[in-house]
């Protein structure tokens, strides 16, 4: 029941303004935009996530674990893109996602908060609203993705 309520809140009230800002090139501090390929449709799917970039890695603690649509998409195709803040600009990066069920997501959040103070507020929300926390690590390729939005098939080939 908690998952259903939180999902509806996120889908219709919390995520749309953040997605809009990121779509027009404004990255609110502490947020990034994750793009996966839909497991059924094959179309790009975008989800706001907490900014967890540490060097060439990006860390996410998925609130609903494998029940989250983006996590199921990653299980099918681990190639992803991230729209990340760089100063006042935002840029797309390619990467490969890895689900880490053996990792302690609460400890990962504590570690992230020490590395990225802006992630502390997001971590509190994830712990409050989360039902099945799961750590996701994305290894960034180090290359910028083509364009600002439209994915090409080449961007997602392993």
């Amino acid at each position: 029941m908690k998952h259903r309520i939180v999902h509806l809140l996120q889908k219709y009230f919390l995520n749309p303004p953040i997605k809009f800002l990121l779509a027009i090139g404004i990255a609110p501090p502490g947020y990034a935009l994750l793009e996966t390929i839909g497991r059924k449709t094959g179309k790009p799917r975008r989800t706001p996530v907490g900014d967890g970039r540490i060097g060439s890695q990006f860390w996410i603690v998925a609130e609903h674990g494998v029940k989250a649509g983006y996590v199921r998409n990653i299980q099918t195709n681990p190639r992803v893109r991230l729209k990340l803040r760089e100063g006042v600009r935002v840029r797309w990066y390619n990467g490969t996602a890895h689900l880490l069920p053996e990792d302690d997501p609460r400890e990962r959040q504590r570690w992230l908060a020490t590395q990225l103070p802006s992630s502390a507020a997001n971590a509190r929300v994830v712990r409050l609203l989360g039902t099945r926390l799961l750590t996701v690590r994305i290894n960034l390729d180090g290359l910028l993705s083509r364009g600002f939005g439209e994915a090409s098939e080449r961007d997602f080939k392993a």
Side-chain angles (χ1 to χ4, degrees):
M1 183 64 151
K2 180 179 179 181
H3 173 263
R4 183 177 295 159
I5 292 167
V6 170
H7 175 73
L8 290 173
L9 278 172
Q10 288 174 327
K11 184 174 182 176
Y12 296 108
F13 298 105
L14 302 175
N15 287 352
I18 295 168
K19 283 173 81 169
F20 173 75
L21 288 172
L22 286 161
I24 63 171
I26 299 170
Y31 287 96
L33 192 64
L34 172 68
E35 184 176 83
T36 60
I37 295 297
R39 64 194 174 283
K40 294 179 183 177
T41 65
K43 295 180 181 179
R45 300 294 181 205
R46 294 179 178 171
T47 306
V49 294
D51 185 359
R53 183 177 184 182
I54 307 286
S56 62
Q57 293 181 326
F58 190 92
W59 296 89
I60 301 169
V61 175
E63 294 173 59
H64 306 298
V66 294
K67 287 185 110 181
Y70 71 88
V71 172
R72 290 181 294 188
N73 291 342
I74 287 169
Q75 286 176 316
T76 302
N77 181 353
R79 294 296 297 161
V80 300
R81 292 194 326 154
L82 284 160
K83 196 173 200 180
L84 302 175
R85 180 185 182 121
E86 284 191 359
V88 294
R89 300 182 64 178
V90 291
R91 296 190 182 190
W92 283 104
Y93 288 86
N94 296 323
T96 304
H98 304 275
L99 305 181
L100 304 175
E102 70 285 351
D103 193 63
D104 179 350
R106 292 182 191 284
E107 185 58 37
R108 180 64 58 195
Q109 285 182 321
R110 282 190 281 279
W111 175 76
L112 279 170
T114 66
Q115 304 297 309
L116 298 166
S118 64
S119 72
N122 180 266
R124 284 191 294 276
V125 172
V126 168
R127 282 194 302 275
L128 175 68
L129 302 178
T131 55
R132 295 181 179 156
L133 303 182
L134 174 69
T135 303
V136 180
R137 183 189 72 232
I138 299 170
N139 295 331
L140 301 174
D141 294 344
L143 300 174
L144 292 175
S145 181
R146 294 183 318 117
F148 275 92
E150 296 309 312
S152 70
E153 282 187 36
R154 185 177 65 87
D155 290 333
F156 291 98
K157 299 287 184 200

